[in-house]
Amino acid sequence: ALPIFPRDQGKERPCLNFHMGLCDGYCRKEMPRSQHQEAMAQAIRLLEGKFGQVEKDLREQMEEAAEALEFERAAALRDRLKAITLLGKRQKVVAGSLSDTDVVGFHRGEAKSCFVVLHYADGDLAAKDMDLIETPVEEAREDTVSALIKQYYGSRGSLPRQILLPCEIEDEVPVMRMLSEACGHRVSLVTPQRGAKMDLIRLANKNAREELERSITKEERKNQLLSLFGSMLGMENPPRRIEAYDISNTGSDDIVGGMTVFVDGKPLKRDYRKFRIRSTETPDDYGSMREVITRRFTHYLDEDGKFSARPDVLFIDGGAEH
C-alpha cells in the first residue's frame, strides 16, 4: 500500500491511494458504512465463485446510476461488470477443463525428492497425495517423473481422464496407452506451457517443495551443514569429530586449557577434558596452547583410552599465530 503523507495524518483526509483512484476512500466521513459493508460482501461473493449474483448487483447499480445521471459512476460500474464477467467466463472454462483431472508436482532436493498429486473434480481440489523418495543425483528429472507416474497410477483402479505433468516425458505415448488400457477409458497426459493449467503445475510444484522442506528433520539439516562445512575445508567427507580448544587464565597459579568435543554435530560431554598447564606459571596463551595440543596427541599416540578417538577438525581459539 502507498503511504499516507505526514501532513494528512490526523487531518481526516484520505491517503494517496484515493487520489490515484486505487481506493474508494471508505475512511472518509461522507462514505456510509453500509456502502463499505456491501463492497466487502461483494468481494466475499466473488471469492465464493458467485459471479452471477455479483453481475446482477452491478448491473442494477449501473442502471440506477445512469437514471440518476451519474454517468461517471455508471461508466466505472460498467467497467467493473465487464471485468467480473470475463473472470467468471475464465473460471467456468477452468472448472470445465478440470472436471476429472490430476495435477502432478515434483521437487528435487539434495538428498530427497517429493512427488505430489492434486486431484481435481468439477474444478475444485478434492484430495492430495504426496510421497517422499530417495532420488539418485545422476537420474534425469524426466526419468524420475516417468517412473513415479507408472508406479503411482499402475496400482490404482480408478484413474482421471487427464493428468497434467510438470515436464515432458520421453515415453509419454506408451505410458498413456498403458494407463488407458488399465482403467478402460482414455487417459491424456498433458504438459502445460502457459495459462491456467500451467498455474496449477506451479501450485503443485510449490506444494512438493513445501512438503519436502517440512519433512527435513533437524538431523538432516545438521548433516547438510556438516557437509557444507567439510566442503569449505576441502575435505572429502563431512567432519565427524570436532574438537575445540581454549585457554583460561584466572590467575598466575591457575592456567587451564579446555577441550570440548562435538560428534556428528552434537556435544559429547563425556569426552570433554581439562588440562592444567605445567610449562608456565605466567599467562602465555601460545605456549599454553602448544602444551595442550602436544599432550592431547601424545595421549592419542600412546593409545590412551580417554583420547583414542582421532579428531577430523580442530578449532583453536586465538590469533593467526596459533
Side-chain angles (χ1 to χ4, degrees):
L2 294 172
I4 298 176
F5 287 130
R7 64 173 180 271
D8 289 331
Q9 295 180 357
K11 302 294 185 180
E12 298 180 353
R13 290 198 295 260
C15 66
L16 187 59
N17 286 321
F18 170 74
H19 298 291
M20 295 180 64
L22 300 177
C23 174
D24 287 333
Y26 292 111
C27 59
R28 293 177 296 159
K29 283 187 175 181
E30 60 268 28
M31 289 292 289
R33 183 176 180 82
S34 59
Q35 190 169 341
H36 177 258
Q37 291 173 338
E38 172 58 27
M40 295 300 295
Q42 191 177 91
I44 292 172
R45 289 195 292 271
L46 280 176
L47 293 174
E48 292 175 345
K50 299 177 181 178
F51 295 96
Q53 184 177 347
V54 176
E55 290 174 2
K56 179 176 178 293
D57 293 341
L58 286 176
R59 186 169 288 106
E60 290 177 354
Q61 294 174 19
M62 181 181 67
E63 293 172 355
E64 290 176 0
E67 290 178 0
L69 303 180
E70 298 176 359
F71 299 116
E72 290 186 2
R73 180 167 175 267
L77 290 167
R78 178 202 61 202
D79 294 340
R80 189 179 301 177
L81 178 60
K82 286 182 179 179
I84 290 176
T85 301
L86 181 61
L87 179 63
K89 288 180 179 178
R90 177 183 173 88
Q91 181 72 13
K92 289 178 182 178
V93 170
V94 173
S97 65
L98 297 180
S99 58
D100 187 13
T101 298
D102 281 2
V103 182
V104 174
F106 180 75
H107 182 75
R108 181 194 292 275
E110 293 183 5
K112 293 182 180 180
S113 295
C114 184
F115 177 73
V116 165
V117 180
L118 306 180
H119 304 280
Y120 284 86
D122 297 326
D124 296 323
L125 181 61
K128 168 184 168 181
D129 291 329
M130 59 83 65
D131 190 22
L132 294 172
I133 54 173
E134 303 284 344
T135 50
V137 176
E138 64 275 7
E139 188 173 39
R141 183 169 183 261
E142 296 78 7
D143 296 337
T144 304
V145 171
S146 175
L148 291 171
I149 291 291
K150 288 181 280 191
Q151 178 181 346
Y152 178 79
Y153 288 104
S155 59
R156 298 175 69 88
S158 177
L159 274 69
R161 296 189 177 276
Q162 179 179 230
I163 302 174
L164 305 184
L165 302 180
C167 61
E168 294 183 354
I169 58 177
E170 291 186 2
D171 54 350
E172 177 181 319
V173 174
V175 171
M176 193 160 46
R177 186 181 301 117
M178 177 192 73
L179 297 179
S180 299
E181 292 175 355
C183 66
H185 64 77
R186 178 178 173 80
V187 177
S188 298
L189 299 181
V190 180
T191 307
Q193 301 298 325
R194 63 182 65 86
K197 291 183 178 180
M198 188 61 206
D199 292 339
L200 292 172
I201 290 293
R202 293 191 185 97
L203 176 63
N205 286 339
K206 181 181 178 182
N207 268 260
R209 184 183 73 250
E210 291 176 347
E211 291 288 356
L212 182 60
E213 290 173 352
R214 276 194 289 269
S215 72
I216 296 177
T217 63
K218 184 178 180 181
E219 186 74 17
E220 288 172 321
R221 293 193 187 96
K222 178 196 65 186
N223 291 338
Q224 290 176 359
L225 183 61
L226 288 174
S227 297
L228 177 61
F229 178 52
S231 65
M232 292 172 62
L233 296 178
M235 302 176 66
E236 293 184 2
N237 299 306
R240 185 170 186 276
R241 181 182 176 97
I242 299 173
E243 295 181 359
Y245 296 84
D246 192 15
I247 302 298
S248 173
N249 297 288
T250 56
S252 59
D253 297 330
D254 192 13
I255 305 174
V256 177
M259 179 183 97
T260 58
V261 181
F262 289 78
V263 175
D264 293 332
K266 296 179 180 179
L268 188 63
K269 293 188 177 182
R270 71 167 184 264
D271 279 9
Y272 284 17
R273 296 289 183 268
K274 288 194 301 183
F275 299 83
R276 189 171 297 279
I277 302 302
R278 305 167 182 166
S279 59
T280 180
E281 294 182 356
T282 59
D284 179 2
D285 282 356
Y286 303 120
S288 299
M289 186 64 72
R290 182 186 303 110
E291 178 184 336
V292 168
I293 299 299
T294 300
R295 287 169 59 185
R296 188 264 180 263
F297 283 99
T298 299
H299 286 301
Y300 170 74
L301 294 173
D302 291 342
E303 298 183 353
D304 186 330
K306 295 181 179 180
F307 296 90
S308 60
R310 178 180 180 276
D312 300 304
V313 175
L314 300 183
F315 282 135
I316 298 177
D317 182 38
E321 290 80 358
H322 275 164

